[in-house]
Amino acid sequence: MKRIFIPLSSALFACHVSAALADEAICKSGLHPLPAGYEGWSNPLPLNAATQAGSLPASKLTLGHASQIHLAHTLDVQFLQRPAEPGGSVSYSGMVIFEVIKDGTYRVMLPNKTWIDVLGGATPVSSIQHQHGPDCSGIRKMVDFSIKTGTYTLQFAGSGQQDIPVMVSAVP
């Protein structure tokens, strides 16, 4: 059994790596227009993440348009609510706010596996769906939340990158 398993697992790994490299080559082969509803991802505006509650008003996202969020070292961030996955001393974190003017489902889009929490005041909002972004979009992680009208804090924790594009938009 051991003799069969090792070659079989090696072959499966090689196929997976080949498929991933082929997908990457296809994505790099030219322009790939974003699907409807994702156009705001294309040209992110710079935004510094807050490191404490007092600086949140200066760190406001615009719904439906990506921002290039500049995160701080995790140890320098005073979270409103401790994240379940805060990351280590070499990771990056921060907080931004966004305004919801109509109750509905809102999607947070990220290019990597950075941990996120959406807070209404100090209360976490439970996610209702997780998925990957469209092929060749640069969006790796999408998380949906059912949100009522109000101001919300989006916390980022444990990012391996200091600058990440982020977009929050209503789900049609």
Side-chain angles (χ1 to χ4, degrees), residues 1-19:
M1 179 69 177
K2 211 183 259 188
R3 290 182 185 170
I4 294 172
F5 179 73
I6 292 172
L8 180 59
S9 61
S10 296
L12 290 173
F13 177 75
C15 289
H16 175 72
V17 169
S18 295

Side-chain angles (χ1 to χ4, degrees), residues 19-30 32 136:
L21 292 174
D23 289 345
E24 188 176 313
I26 290 169
C27 290
K28 289 183 178 180
S29 68
H32 298 276
C136 302

Side-chain angles (χ1 to χ4, degrees), residues 31-115:
L31 295 176
H32 298 276
L34 291 169
Y38 296 92
E39 301 88 354
W41 181 258
S42 298
N43 298 304
L45 300 173
L47 182 64
N48 288 323
T51 57
Q52 58 185 343
S55 56
L56 273 168
S59 300
K60 187 173 183 179
L61 281 175
T62 300
L63 289 181
H65 195 86
S67 289
Q68 183 75 13
I69 309 290
H70 181 74
L71 300 170
H73 290 280
T74 297
L75 297 177
D76 296 332
V77 179
Q78 296 171 6
F79 294 104
L80 297 183
Q81 180 89 334
R82 180 173 166 75
E85 298 288 333
S89 61
V90 296
S91 67
Y92 301 97
S93 300
M95 303 174 290
V96 297
I97 58 171
F98 63 95
E99 187 80 24
V100 170
I101 58 171
K102 183 180 176 187
D103 296 3
T105 300
Y106 288 82
R107 178 170 291 152
V108 179
M109 293 167 251
L110 302 156
N112 59 23
K113 299 186 306 180
T114 298
W115 182 267

